[in-house]
Amino acid sequence: MSVETGLADVVTLQRRRQARISVHDEESFFLDTLSEYKWARDAAGLAPTTMDGLIKPVIEVCEFYGTVP
């Protein structure tokens, strides 16, 4: 029995819509993602200083440039 590797065929069953995302939605998603990441690292047992060291640089860069990644 041979197994093929590669991409699968995809069939779209619905019409495509243009995604409209506001700046507020982007920021909200970014903050939710950071919160979930911090929660996961806390559950894994990382020290609070380690978690702050991982997240603080990301927030500082985003604030400096006034955008989200």
Side-chain angles (χ1 to χ4, degrees), residues 32-42 51 54-55:
D32 288 346
T33 302
L34 277 181
S35 297
E36 288 292 325
Y37 177 76
K38 192 170 182 178
W39 174 83
R41 298 292 92 203
D42 184 40
M51 287 188 293
L54 293 171
I55 293 176

Side-chain angles (χ1 to χ4, degrees), residues 12-25:
T12 303
L13 300 176
Q14 300 172 347
R15 291 187 299 158
R16 289 183 166 190
R17 278 193 330 192
Q18 181 180 3
R20 294 185 181 142
I21 300 173
S22 70
V23 174
H24 177 68
D25 290 339

